[in-house]
Amino acid sequence: MCSISIEMEFNGTTIWYWLIVALVGFGAAILGYFFGKSDTPNVSDIADELNVLEIENAKLKADLDTCKKRLASGNPSSQKENAQNTLVMDKAPIFDATLAKNAMGKKIKENDLKIVEGIGPKIEELFHNFNIKTWKQLAESSADKCQEVLDSGGKRYRLHDPASWPMQAKMAHAGHWKQLADWQEKHRAGKY
């Protein structure tokens, strides 16, 4: 009889042991799943990050163009290349209002800075105060110059990001309306 009671106690202890191990393992599995799930980036987070990087890339391209112009002004061999690049900008296609309207979905006036996503009437006025009145002039401005224009308007313009404005103006100046419309649709006011 003594041996039977020892076996029962041993089996009772074993059941509790395995039950605790199973519960701890199950709890760890659930916690691991949720921790792993929280580290996985969301598709919208990836899209947001991609768009931020595209805007940053546009700013860097505009800054690079500015640097190239500064370097070219001091180097005689680069001055010829710079003059050729300027001629390409100067030989932009003649403004075609019908083509612009078809691509943009609204009537476009030549050198209307408000066509650039992010520029409204007040910001356009700020650019005019800095004698930047054409798409070409805006395209040749650096992102830093655009920020300086915004800063001149006061604190209310701090939310604006002018990094892509020279690039958009360059597309408008060159008559690349479809490309501009596609870019703006993709980046419109932070909605993706």
Side-chain angles (χ1 to χ4, degrees), residues 93-114:
I94 297 173
F95 176 68
D96 184 349
T98 305
L99 183 64
K101 181 180 180 181
N102 290 339
M104 300 300 288
K106 62 183 178 181
K107 188 176 179 178
I108 306 294
K109 289 190 275 179
E110 188 171 9
N111 290 316
D112 181 7
L113 299 183
K114 295 183 299 291

Side-chain angles (χ1 to χ4, degrees), residues 11-43:
N11 286 339
T13 306
T14 306
I15 290 172
W16 282 107
Y17 170 78
W18 287 110
L19 186 60
I20 290 172
V21 168
L23 287 175
V24 169
F26 184 70
I30 289 175
L31 285 174
Y33 173 77
F34 285 116
F35 283 131
K37 194 77 169 157
S38 68
D39 289 343
T40 306
N42 191 334
V43 172

